[in-house]
Amino acid sequence: MLTFIGLGLYDENDISLKGLSVIRSADVVFLEYYTSKLMGTDISSMEKLYHKPIRLLSREDVEQHPDPILDAAEAGSAVFLTAGDTMVSTTHSDLRIRAAERNIPTRIIHAASIASAVFGLSGLQNYRSGKSCSLPFPSGRWMPTTPVEVIAGNLKQNLHTIVYLDIQNERYMHIHEAITIIEEISGRLKVHIPLFVGIARAGSDDPVIFAGSGEDLRSHDFGSPLHILVVPAELHLMEREYLERFAGLKPSDHHLA
C-alpha cells in the first residue's frame, strides 16, 4: 500500500489524526519537501511525533527515480508525505499512476491546503477563483511573462488569482520580491494590477494578511516565509469590508471595488 498524506500548513501538529495513525503503523515513511515545507517545525520534531524515521526525497527521487518508493510500497506499507494537501497545491498524480501500473493499492489522506486557506484568511470568495500561477525567480534575462498573462486573463473574467511564490532549496521568495517582479512584467505587457493581497505563514499562530497596492505591500513587513500572493478581481462589498477589517485595506480605496 502507498498512502499519500498531507501534513497541513505550518507545523507537525497540523496533520490529521487519521494521517498520524497511518504514519505510525507504516513500514517506511517518505517526505517530499522540495515544493513546499512546514516552516514551523523540522525533521527531528516530526520524527519524534511520528515515532518513525523519515526518508527525505529530492525532486529527482520522486520524478525520475521513484522505484525505491514503489518497491517499499510493494513490500509493505509506505507513506508519502507532503506539506499542505498532497494532491492540491502539489500534484503527484504520476507517482500514483506508476503505483497502479504495478498493482500497488493507493489511497489519499487529505489535510489543510494553502489553496483554501488563502480565501479564509483574505475573505475573498473561493468560487470566484480563476486559474492559479507560479512566480519563479528570474534567472539572468529569463523572466517568463506567463504569471502576469494568467492574472490578466483572470481579471478580464472578474476572477481572483492565487500566485504561488518560488521555493529553491533554502531560498524562499518574499512578497516584496514578487511584487517587484510582477510589476516589471506588467509594465512590459501594459497590464494594470491595482490591488494585491499578501499572506505570510498561513496556519501559524501569527499569520500576516495585508491588502493594498504594490507599493503598499512592498513597504509592509510580512516577516518570515512562507509567503503567498492573491490578485483579487473586482471586490464584492463583503470582500472589501473583510479586507478593510482584517487586512488593512484603506476604506478610501473605493476605486478598487
Side-chain angles (χ1 to χ4, degrees):
M1 170 72 76
L2 177 59
T3 305
F4 295 82
I5 301 178
L7 298 177
L9 296 172
Y10 188 70
D11 62 29
E12 73 274 19
N13 296 312
D14 285 345
I15 191 169
S16 68
L17 292 175
K18 182 187 292 185
L20 181 60
S21 175
V22 172
I23 291 172
R24 287 180 172 175
S25 64
D27 297 312
V28 186
V29 177
F30 297 99
L31 172 63
E32 178 271 282
Y33 233 28
Y34 54 83
T35 51
S36 186
K37 66 186 299 183
L38 304 182
M39 299 301 289
T41 190
D42 54 32
I43 302 296
S44 62
S45 298
M46 295 165 70
E47 290 179 329
K48 183 177 180 180
L49 176 64
Y50 301 160
H51 304 164
K52 293 283 182 178
I54 292 174
R55 297 189 190 181
L56 195 61
L57 300 171
S58 68
R59 183 182 296 273
E60 291 73 21
D61 293 331
V62 177
E63 297 179 357
Q64 300 177 26
H65 308 290
D67 284 341
I69 306 169
L70 300 173
D71 291 344
E74 197 167 47
S77 173
V79 298
F80 182 85
L81 308 177
T82 63
D85 187 347
T86 184
M87 290 294 180
V88 176
S89 58
T90 303
T91 300
H92 292 294
S93 303
D94 180 68
L95 183 60
R96 195 177 189 204
I97 290 171
R98 288 173 185 255
E101 289 173 346
R102 290 175 54 167
N103 295 316
I104 299 169
T106 61
R107 61 173 168 168
I108 299 170
I109 298 177
H110 296 282
S113 167
I114 190 64
S116 57
V118 293
F119 291 106
L121 289 169
S122 68
L124 297 173
Q125 296 163 343
N126 62 3
Y127 65 86
R128 297 184 60 205
S129 177
K131 181 180 179 181
S132 62
C133 61
S134 296
L135 184 69
F137 284 109
S139 178
R141 295 183 178 180
W142 181 77
M143 184 184 287
T145 59
T146 302
V148 173
E149 291 168 359
V150 170
I151 292 169
N154 285 339
L155 289 175
K156 287 180 180 179
Q157 299 179 68
N158 203 22
L159 298 174
H160 306 315
T161 309
I162 296 178
V163 183
Y164 295 99
L165 307 189
D166 200 4
I167 296 174
Q168 293 183 2
N169 298 320
E170 295 300 314
R171 184 186 180 195
Y172 308 99
M173 185 181 290
H174 287 243
I175 286 169
H176 70 272
E177 296 175 293
I179 296 293
T180 299
I181 295 168
I182 289 173
E183 291 195 335
E184 181 172 341
I185 299 170
S186 299
R188 296 180 191 174
L189 300 182
K190 302 188 185 310
V191 174
H192 176 57
I193 303 175
L195 177 64
F196 296 89
V197 180
I199 296 172
R201 296 177 306 284
S204 72
D205 291 335
D206 62 342
V208 174
I209 309 95
F210 186 74
S213 67
E215 183 179 354
D216 292 333
L217 266 68
R218 266 200 304 269
S219 61
H220 191 77
D221 182 11
F222 285 91
S224 59
L226 295 173
H227 293 183
I228 192 166
L229 272 177
V230 185
V231 176
E234 182 179 343
L235 296 176
H236 181 275
L237 180 62
M238 186 174 294
E239 291 177 313
R240 179 157 52 99
E241 181 177 355
Y242 196 103
L243 289 172
E244 289 173 0
R245 289 185 177 274
F246 300 111
L249 181 65
K250 300 171 186 176
S252 59
D253 287 339
H254 293 296
H255 66 280
L256 299 175

